[in-house]
Amino acid sequence: MMPFLVSNFTMFIIAILLILLAVSTTNRHHRHHSVHGFTSYSNLSPPPSSRRTVPLTTNYHHTSCSLFSQRCQRQPLVLCTDARSSGSSRSSSRILASSSSSTSESSSTASTTSSGTASTTTTSTNGDTSDNNNNNNNKPLTENQIIDKSMEYLASCIRRHLDSIKKQPLTASAVLSGIQVNAKDDSLAPNEENRHHHDVNADDGGEGSIDNKSTMMIPYNLAKGRFVDLVTSLRGEQILENLFLPPTNTIINGNNNLDYDGSTTITTTTTTTTTTTTQSSVPDDVRIVQYAIVALQSLLIYGMQIGVVGSDESQAKLVRHLFRPGDDISTSGSATASNEKGGVDDVIMEKYPSLWDAECIRLLKYRRNVSPGKLILKELKWKRTARGAFDLLVDMGVWTKHEDVALLRSGFPVRFTERELQVAMEAAAEANYCDGDHNKNDPDAVLGLRQDLRHFKVYTIDGPTTLDIDDGISVEVLSDGGDGDDDDRRLRYWIHIADVDRWAPRGSELLRVAERRGTSLYLPTTTLCMFPEIMSSGIMSLESWQDKCALSLGVELNADGTIIPSSIVVTPSNIHVHYRLTYDQVDEMLDEGVGYTEEWQIGAMLAAATARRAHRVSRGSTEGMVPFPIPKGMVTATYDEKTDDYDISLKIEATHNSGSNVTTMAGTTNPGGAAIGGNAHHDLYVSSSQLIVTEMMILAGEAIGKWQIMQMEQEEPRTNDTCIQIPNRLQLPFRRQTAPDLKSREIEARHLGFLLEMNQLYPHAWYARRFFNKVTVSEEAGPHYGMGLDCYVQWSSPIRRLTDLQVHSALKRYLRRKRVNELLQAGLHLPSEISSIDLGYDISGIGQSPSSLNAIDPIDFTSGLGMIFAGRPVQSSSSNYWLFEYIRRLIDRSHEEVMFESIVLGCVNKDRFQYAIFVYELGLEHRYLSETGKLDEGQKLWLKVTSVNPRMELLTFSLASRSGGIHAQPSAAAAA
């Protein structure tokens, strides 16, 4: 009996398996008839092994409002089928077909043609007909179903793109440049013309034309602009957008009639019919695309987490500047969340239904939401780690292997939007309209504040590649010395700072462009400017041999370098830059004596700068307390099209050297100078030009602070029966730092002095850092110990720092209000060209009562600080990556162990024998775990590189087997 039962049971199981196999075969047979992004409701015959087009006629009678289902009345629809084994195209079609048949039925208007009533059947290629009305009666999809289908849909798009790359590989140059590699490859971004005008070469009404052409572009149009600041190259952004394009041999038209904002309107127009379908809620298939886009964004966020170390709390601090009032969402979708499906609908679709377009990227970065990204990796059967996400995006050509993920993580804008560029173009056009007369539409010129200083010989001194030139300097002779003695001449030193407020005034859209960034970001591979290049390197920049607007400060000095407060002059100005010089050129002019004869002004500024440095050192400035600071390696990576990679150069720089700035190239030995750090092999030469620039900018910061104090000590404007004046207070952000407390730390202070006496200069510089207090910003003036000054205001770089620009705005508003009050006191009328925002007060109440003069548009000096603080770790991480890549290439090219000479700076952890070291050739401070136990400060070590991983920012050293080797070869510094 038992064998009989087992036999029957076995046959029953076999029968069930055969039935399931038959059903599966039937399903696969039908899946061949759906196309990427579009669904046919016909019973199409199986496609051949190669791609082909299948004509189909459909209509709009009682159909779903699905955006991906084509309902073109009596028009042939060209479908693309693909019988590749991957099934990616079939998969995406199946997903959207399922969602289309599940959307709720909406009302539609059936139109008739000249031949009669519209047909209600769908005709397949084999002549069969079928009624499609039953497709409209299913229930809407649940949230989990939509999420699952969106993952399948996105996975199919990615697979299709990866397949196309195998046929036509992408090069790094193609990704970086954004230039289209192959216009026929549907995985590549269309050029700008095709992006907005996707026309086809087909006759109207002929086979292959489509009435509802715009519908086919809806997924792509939903994806456009959704990946800004998630990719460093425009090319990568286009690749992501074009994942949602239909295949290129599908006949389409890019004139999109749908701008989705919560309601859906599809308009299909032919010569005889017009059909409109409207639905108030979001259709399921639209939500599938939206979820797919969010998942793709999350995948990018996940890939950015590669190399991230530290606790979740510490990482959250790095993105806290992305927080906005009202962001009350939880952190359940962060990188540490365990719920994979959490964060897709919770964050974007329900709590922020209207923000999924504009704010989705910021919210995902703020929450570090990687849950949707993990889902798509799971669907792709890809490794679900940050490294897996990173590798996938590199394989897709979206990112390069050198992608700056730290920059992308930070939320710092990667590029300017089209609107921002347009605003800059409009501002530049206005400047060009002035045709050299910069006083047009200038409130400072209207009030008679802008002085003509074009007769001064103005010098700008910057690096050879600098384009955004903020400052220029000049010398004015107030009186000659008696008996022709030049030493007795009375001189006024002028510092001219670019008047950025002239072109980006308060309330302007261009100012908002700068506020969105807060600062310019200088990275090894590029510079991300605060203003678009046409302004930062053009209109605003103090270019040579051109008249420029500036905010100028003139000041006289005593013989000891101190400021004569009563001599300070602050004024908007017009200047003419005569010389655009580099640091090396100025040093050469001084060495050859030209800077003391024909260009005597340079020599005079060097004398003033030297006196200023000595004055500050005598007051305890950093230069005096730390005479030899530790140099720092400055790495630059330049893309080379020939090698399709980056060339890396390394430069070692220090802030000062015994009162003068220094610089040197890695791997070179410069003549002259005292031994630094106790090693003559690493001498650095003194740069007089950098001393001039540094001290003149510090002079400007101290002088403007002293000038503000004097202005506020003056009598306040008075109100009498005949005149009501505008309140005029000048508030500036003073940078303050208290003196180090050496008395309560006597033992440490003695050790600091001992290191200096023993000529252990770099260990002394490292040890001294613990004594310096934090710099604070206050509207109350106070001493800055690190500068050796009574007061200091930073305002010399308005093109690249928002806080400096805001100081300019505050200064100019104060000067304008002062002039307006003088006019009112004299009984004169206020010029009609002056507006309330020019003064910061509502001037409509002038002449009525003091209470009617209300302040408007207050200047917030803390604005933009979040981005400034976020930019610092980005610069550090990016520099570390390229420095470690520089080391990795040295190892790859060397047949011997790569060694570097280093010096022990101090102990970090006694229990672990962990020490801070400085590697001379790299300008690198690093941590080293001693293999021999205790080490002494100033001890020299020869270390070899044990391992290096640029992406993870990991570098380890161990004791070298011998000294000498690759580090001593000059060619090593030119590694690329």
Short mmCIF file of all heavy atoms in Angstrom, two decimals, residues 77-129:
data_model
loop_
_atom_site.label_atom_id
_atom_site.label_comp_id
_atom_site.label_asym_id
_atom_site.label_seq_id
_atom_site.Cartn_x
_atom_site.Cartn_y
_atom_site.Cartn_z
N LEU A 77 2.15 52.25 -34.43
CA LEU A 77 3.13 52.44 -33.37
C LEU A 77 4.32 51.52 -33.61
O LEU A 77 4.16 50.32 -33.75
CB LEU A 77 2.51 52.12 -32.01
CG LEU A 77 3.44 52.09 -30.81
CD1 LEU A 77 4.03 53.46 -30.59
CD2 LEU A 77 2.69 51.63 -29.58
N VAL A 78 5.49 52.09 -33.69
CA VAL A 78 6.69 51.30 -33.92
C VAL A 78 7.23 50.83 -32.59
O VAL A 78 7.60 51.63 -31.75
CB VAL A 78 7.76 52.13 -34.67
CG1 VAL A 78 9.03 51.31 -34.82
CG2 VAL A 78 7.23 52.53 -36.02
N LEU A 79 7.25 49.53 -32.38
CA LEU A 79 7.77 48.94 -31.16
C LEU A 79 9.11 48.29 -31.42
O LEU A 79 9.36 47.82 -32.53
CB LEU A 79 6.81 47.90 -30.59
CG LEU A 79 5.41 48.41 -30.22
CD1 LEU A 79 4.57 47.27 -29.72
CD2 LEU A 79 5.51 49.48 -29.17
N CYS A 80 9.96 48.24 -30.42
CA CYS A 80 11.24 47.57 -30.53
C CYS A 80 11.25 46.39 -29.59
O CYS A 80 11.00 46.55 -28.40
CB CYS A 80 12.39 48.51 -30.18
SG CYS A 80 12.55 49.86 -31.33
N THR A 81 11.49 45.23 -30.08
CA THR A 81 11.61 44.05 -29.24
C THR A 81 13.02 43.54 -29.31
O THR A 81 13.72 43.71 -30.31
CB THR A 81 10.64 42.95 -29.70
OG1 THR A 81 10.95 42.62 -31.05
CG2 THR A 81 9.20 43.42 -29.62
N ASP A 82 13.42 42.91 -28.27
CA ASP A 82 14.80 42.44 -28.18
C ASP A 82 14.79 41.08 -27.52
O ASP A 82 14.31 40.93 -26.40
CB ASP A 82 15.63 43.42 -27.35
CG ASP A 82 17.11 43.18 -27.54
OD1 ASP A 82 17.46 42.08 -28.01
OD2 ASP A 82 17.89 44.10 -27.22
N ALA A 83 15.27 40.08 -28.23
CA ALA A 83 15.25 38.72 -27.71
C ALA A 83 16.59 38.31 -27.13
O ALA A 83 16.95 37.16 -27.10
CB ALA A 83 14.86 37.75 -28.83
N ARG A 84 17.36 39.33 -26.67
CA ARG A 84 18.64 39.00 -26.05
C ARG A 84 18.40 38.18 -24.79
O ARG A 84 17.41 38.33 -24.10
CB ARG A 84 19.42 40.27 -25.69
CG ARG A 84 19.88 41.04 -26.90
CD ARG A 84 20.55 42.33 -26.47
NE ARG A 84 19.56 43.19 -25.80
CZ ARG A 84 19.88 44.35 -25.25
NH1 ARG A 84 21.12 44.75 -25.25
NH2 ARG A 84 18.96 45.08 -24.67
N SER A 85 19.36 37.37 -24.45
CA SER A 85 19.23 36.49 -23.30
C SER A 85 19.07 37.24 -22.00
O SER A 85 18.49 36.75 -21.05
CB SER A 85 20.45 35.56 -23.22
OG SER A 85 21.63 36.33 -23.09
N SER A 86 19.60 38.48 -21.95
CA SER A 86 19.50 39.24 -20.70
C SER A 86 18.08 39.62 -20.39
O SER A 86 17.69 39.76 -19.24
CB SER A 86 20.37 40.51 -20.79
OG SER A 86 19.84 41.38 -21.77
N GLY A 87 17.29 39.82 -21.40
CA GLY A 87 15.88 40.14 -21.20
C GLY A 87 15.64 41.46 -20.56
O GLY A 87 14.61 41.70 -19.96
N SER A 88 16.60 42.40 -20.64
CA SER A 88 16.45 43.68 -19.93
C SER A 88 15.32 44.50 -20.50
O SER A 88 14.53 45.07 -19.77
CB SER A 88 17.77 44.45 -19.98
OG SER A 88 18.15 44.67 -21.31
N SER A 89 15.22 44.59 -21.82
CA SER A 89 14.15 45.37 -22.42
C SER A 89 12.81 44.74 -22.13
O SER A 89 11.83 45.41 -21.84
CB SER A 89 14.37 45.48 -23.93
OG SER A 89 15.52 46.21 -24.21
N ARG A 90 12.75 43.39 -22.21
CA ARG A 90 11.49 42.73 -21.94
C ARG A 90 11.07 42.94 -20.49
O ARG A 90 9.92 43.13 -20.18
CB ARG A 90 11.63 41.23 -22.22
CG ARG A 90 12.02 40.90 -23.64
CD ARG A 90 11.84 39.42 -23.91
NE ARG A 90 12.62 38.59 -23.00
CZ ARG A 90 13.86 38.22 -23.24
NH1 ARG A 90 14.47 38.63 -24.34
NH2 ARG A 90 14.50 37.45 -22.39
N SER A 91 12.05 42.96 -19.60
CA SER A 91 11.73 43.12 -18.19
C SER A 91 11.10 44.46 -17.91
O SER A 91 10.11 44.57 -17.22
CB SER A 91 12.99 42.94 -17.36
OG SER A 91 12.73 43.16 -16.01
N SER A 92 11.69 45.54 -18.44
CA SER A 92 11.15 46.87 -18.18
C SER A 92 9.76 47.01 -18.75
O SER A 92 8.90 47.64 -18.17
CB SER A 92 12.08 47.93 -18.77
OG SER A 92 12.18 47.76 -20.17
N SER A 93 9.51 46.40 -19.91
CA SER A 93 8.19 46.49 -20.51
C SER A 93 7.17 45.74 -19.69
O SER A 93 6.05 46.18 -19.51
CB SER A 93 8.24 45.94 -21.93
OG SER A 93 9.20 46.61 -22.69
N ARG A 94 7.57 44.56 -19.20
CA ARG A 94 6.65 43.77 -18.40
C ARG A 94 6.24 44.52 -17.14
O ARG A 94 5.09 44.52 -16.73
CB ARG A 94 7.32 42.45 -18.02
CG ARG A 94 6.51 41.61 -17.03
CD ARG A 94 7.17 40.27 -16.80
NE ARG A 94 8.55 40.41 -16.37
CZ ARG A 94 8.89 40.62 -15.09
NH1 ARG A 94 7.96 40.74 -14.17
NH2 ARG A 94 10.17 40.73 -14.75
N ILE A 95 7.18 45.21 -16.52
CA ILE A 95 6.88 45.95 -15.30
C ILE A 95 5.85 47.03 -15.57
O ILE A 95 4.85 47.18 -14.88
CB ILE A 95 8.16 46.57 -14.73
CG1 ILE A 95 9.15 45.46 -14.38
CG2 ILE A 95 7.86 47.41 -13.52
CD1 ILE A 95 10.55 45.97 -14.21
N LEU A 96 6.11 47.80 -16.62
CA LEU A 96 5.22 48.91 -16.91
C LEU A 96 3.89 48.43 -17.47
O LEU A 96 2.87 49.06 -17.29
CB LEU A 96 5.90 49.87 -17.87
CG LEU A 96 7.13 50.54 -17.26
CD1 LEU A 96 7.83 51.38 -18.30
CD2 LEU A 96 6.76 51.36 -16.06
N ALA A 97 3.92 47.29 -18.15
CA ALA A 97 2.66 46.72 -18.64
C ALA A 97 1.79 46.32 -17.47
O ALA A 97 0.59 46.55 -17.45
CB ALA A 97 2.94 45.50 -19.52
N SER A 98 2.40 45.73 -16.47
CA SER A 98 1.65 45.32 -15.30
C SER A 98 1.07 46.51 -14.58
O SER A 98 -0.08 46.50 -14.17
CB SER A 98 2.56 44.52 -14.37
OG SER A 98 1.89 44.21 -13.18
N SER A 99 1.87 47.58 -14.46
CA SER A 99 1.36 48.76 -13.76
C SER A 99 0.30 49.45 -14.57
O SER A 99 -0.64 50.01 -14.04
CB SER A 99 2.51 49.72 -13.47
OG SER A 99 3.02 50.24 -14.68
N SER A 100 0.43 49.43 -15.89
CA SER A 100 -0.55 50.08 -16.74
C SER A 100 -1.90 49.41 -16.61
O SER A 100 -2.94 50.06 -16.59
CB SER A 100 -0.08 50.06 -18.20
OG SER A 100 1.11 50.77 -18.34
N SER A 101 -1.89 48.09 -16.51
CA SER A 101 -3.16 47.39 -16.41
C SER A 101 -3.76 47.50 -15.03
O SER A 101 -4.89 47.11 -14.81
CB SER A 101 -2.95 45.90 -16.75
OG SER A 101 -2.06 45.32 -15.83
N SER A 102 -2.99 48.06 -14.08
CA SER A 102 -3.47 48.17 -12.71
C SER A 102 -3.91 49.56 -12.34
O SER A 102 -4.40 49.78 -11.26
CB SER A 102 -2.37 47.71 -11.74
OG SER A 102 -2.00 46.39 -12.02
N THR A 103 -3.71 50.52 -13.20
CA THR A 103 -4.10 51.89 -12.86
C THR A 103 -5.60 52.04 -12.91
O THR A 103 -6.31 51.35 -13.64
CB THR A 103 -3.46 52.87 -13.84
OG1 THR A 103 -3.75 52.46 -15.17
CG2 THR A 103 -1.95 52.90 -13.66
N SER A 104 -6.09 53.00 -12.10
CA SER A 104 -7.53 53.22 -12.04
C SER A 104 -8.03 53.85 -13.32
O SER A 104 -7.33 54.60 -13.97
CB SER A 104 -7.85 54.12 -10.85
OG SER A 104 -7.15 55.32 -10.98
N GLU A 105 -9.29 53.54 -13.66
CA GLU A 105 -9.86 54.03 -14.90
C GLU A 105 -10.21 55.50 -14.78
O GLU A 105 -10.72 55.94 -13.77
CB GLU A 105 -11.10 53.22 -15.24
CG GLU A 105 -11.77 53.67 -16.55
CD GLU A 105 -12.98 52.81 -16.90
OE1 GLU A 105 -13.22 51.84 -16.18
OE2 GLU A 105 -13.68 53.14 -17.86
N SER A 106 -9.87 56.28 -15.78
CA SER A 106 -10.22 57.70 -15.79
C SER A 106 -11.03 57.99 -17.03
O SER A 106 -11.01 57.25 -18.00
CB SER A 106 -8.95 58.55 -15.76
OG SER A 106 -8.18 58.26 -16.90
N SER A 107 -11.72 59.12 -16.98
CA SER A 107 -12.57 59.49 -18.11
C SER A 107 -11.74 59.96 -19.26
O SER A 107 -10.73 60.58 -19.10
CB SER A 107 -13.54 60.60 -17.68
OG SER A 107 -12.80 61.71 -17.26
N SER A 108 -12.16 59.63 -20.45
CA SER A 108 -11.46 60.08 -21.65
C SER A 108 -12.47 60.34 -22.73
O SER A 108 -13.59 59.84 -22.70
CB SER A 108 -10.43 59.03 -22.10
OG SER A 108 -11.09 57.83 -22.41
N THR A 109 -12.07 61.15 -23.67
CA THR A 109 -12.96 61.54 -24.75
C THR A 109 -12.57 60.81 -26.01
O THR A 109 -11.45 60.92 -26.46
CB THR A 109 -12.88 63.05 -25.00
OG1 THR A 109 -13.17 63.71 -23.78
CG2 THR A 109 -13.86 63.47 -26.08
N ALA A 110 -13.49 60.06 -26.56
CA ALA A 110 -13.22 59.33 -27.80
C ALA A 110 -13.48 60.26 -28.96
O ALA A 110 -14.52 60.88 -29.08
CB ALA A 110 -14.11 58.09 -27.88
N SER A 111 -12.51 60.36 -29.84
CA SER A 111 -12.62 61.23 -31.00
C SER A 111 -12.85 60.41 -32.25
O SER A 111 -12.49 59.24 -32.33
CB SER A 111 -11.35 62.06 -31.15
OG SER A 111 -11.12 62.79 -29.99
N THR A 112 -13.45 61.02 -33.20
CA THR A 112 -13.73 60.34 -34.46
C THR A 112 -12.95 60.99 -35.57
O THR A 112 -12.58 62.14 -35.52
CB THR A 112 -15.23 60.42 -34.78
OG1 THR A 112 -15.58 61.79 -34.88
CG2 THR A 112 -16.07 59.75 -33.71
N THR A 113 -12.66 60.22 -36.56
CA THR A 113 -11.97 60.70 -37.74
C THR A 113 -12.96 60.83 -38.88
O THR A 113 -14.14 60.54 -38.75
CB THR A 113 -10.85 59.73 -38.13
OG1 THR A 113 -11.44 58.48 -38.49
CG2 THR A 113 -9.92 59.48 -36.96
N SER A 114 -12.46 61.28 -40.02
CA SER A 114 -13.33 61.47 -41.17
C SER A 114 -13.91 60.17 -41.69
O SER A 114 -14.92 60.16 -42.37
CB SER A 114 -12.53 62.15 -42.30
OG SER A 114 -11.39 61.36 -42.62
N SER A 115 -13.28 59.05 -41.31
CA SER A 115 -13.77 57.77 -41.79
C SER A 115 -14.80 57.16 -40.88
O SER A 115 -15.37 56.12 -41.20
CB SER A 115 -12.59 56.79 -41.92
OG SER A 115 -11.98 56.61 -40.67
N GLY A 116 -15.10 57.77 -39.73
CA GLY A 116 -16.13 57.24 -38.86
C GLY A 116 -15.68 57.16 -37.43
O GLY A 116 -14.75 57.80 -37.00
N THR A 117 -16.42 56.31 -36.65
CA THR A 117 -16.16 56.18 -35.22
C THR A 117 -14.86 55.46 -34.98
O THR A 117 -14.50 54.54 -35.69
CB THR A 117 -17.31 55.39 -34.55
OG1 THR A 117 -18.52 56.03 -34.87
CG2 THR A 117 -17.13 55.34 -33.04
N ALA A 118 -14.18 55.87 -33.90
CA ALA A 118 -12.90 55.25 -33.57
C ALA A 118 -13.10 53.81 -33.18
O ALA A 118 -14.05 53.42 -32.55
CB ALA A 118 -12.24 56.00 -32.43
N SER A 119 -12.13 52.98 -33.55
CA SER A 119 -12.20 51.56 -33.26
C SER A 119 -11.93 51.33 -31.80
O SER A 119 -11.20 52.05 -31.16
CB SER A 119 -11.16 50.81 -34.10
OG SER A 119 -11.09 49.47 -33.70
N THR A 120 -12.54 50.25 -31.24
CA THR A 120 -12.34 49.90 -29.83
C THR A 120 -11.58 48.62 -29.68
O THR A 120 -11.58 48.02 -28.62
CB THR A 120 -13.70 49.76 -29.13
OG1 THR A 120 -14.43 48.71 -29.77
CG2 THR A 120 -14.48 51.04 -29.21
N THR A 121 -10.92 48.16 -30.71
CA THR A 121 -10.16 46.92 -30.62
C THR A 121 -8.72 47.19 -30.98
O THR A 121 -8.39 48.16 -31.63
CB THR A 121 -10.73 45.85 -31.58
OG1 THR A 121 -10.63 46.35 -32.92
CG2 THR A 121 -12.17 45.53 -31.26
N THR A 122 -7.89 46.27 -30.55
CA THR A 122 -6.47 46.34 -30.85
C THR A 122 -6.12 45.20 -31.79
O THR A 122 -6.42 44.04 -31.50
CB THR A 122 -5.64 46.23 -29.57
OG1 THR A 122 -6.03 47.27 -28.69
CG2 THR A 122 -4.16 46.32 -29.87
N THR A 123 -5.48 45.52 -32.87
CA THR A 123 -5.16 44.53 -33.87
C THR A 123 -3.71 44.11 -33.75
O THR A 123 -2.82 44.94 -33.71
CB THR A 123 -5.40 45.10 -35.28
OG1 THR A 123 -6.74 45.57 -35.35
CG2 THR A 123 -5.18 44.02 -36.33
N SER A 124 -3.50 42.81 -33.69
CA SER A 124 -2.14 42.30 -33.59
C SER A 124 -1.61 42.02 -34.98
O SER A 124 -2.31 42.05 -35.96
CB SER A 124 -2.11 41.03 -32.73
OG SER A 124 -2.82 39.99 -33.39
N THR A 125 -0.31 41.68 -35.02
CA THR A 125 0.33 41.46 -36.31
C THR A 125 -0.16 40.19 -36.98
O THR A 125 -0.04 40.06 -38.20
CB THR A 125 1.84 41.34 -36.11
OG1 THR A 125 2.11 40.32 -35.14
CG2 THR A 125 2.41 42.65 -35.63
N ASN A 126 -0.76 39.25 -36.24
CA ASN A 126 -1.24 38.03 -36.87
C ASN A 126 -2.72 38.10 -37.20
O ASN A 126 -3.34 37.10 -37.52
CB ASN A 126 -0.95 36.82 -35.97
CG ASN A 126 -1.61 36.98 -34.61
OD1 ASN A 126 -2.40 37.90 -34.40
ND2 ASN A 126 -1.30 36.06 -33.69
N GLY A 127 -3.30 39.28 -37.07
CA GLY A 127 -4.67 39.47 -37.46
C GLY A 127 -5.67 39.24 -36.38
O GLY A 127 -6.86 39.46 -36.58
N ASP A 128 -5.28 38.78 -35.20
CA ASP A 128 -6.21 38.57 -34.10
C ASP A 128 -6.63 39.89 -33.49
O ASP A 128 -5.92 40.86 -33.55
CB ASP A 128 -5.57 37.68 -33.02
CG ASP A 128 -5.28 36.29 -33.57
OD1 ASP A 128 -5.96 35.91 -34.52
OD2 ASP A 128 -4.37 35.62 -33.03
N THR A 129 -7.82 39.88 -32.90
CA THR A 129 -8.30 41.07 -32.17
C THR A 129 -8.64 40.66 -30.76
O THR A 129 -9.06 39.53 -30.49
CB THR A 129 -9.54 41.66 -32.85
OG1 THR A 129 -10.56 40.68 -32.88
CG2 THR A 129 -9.22 42.13 -34.26
#
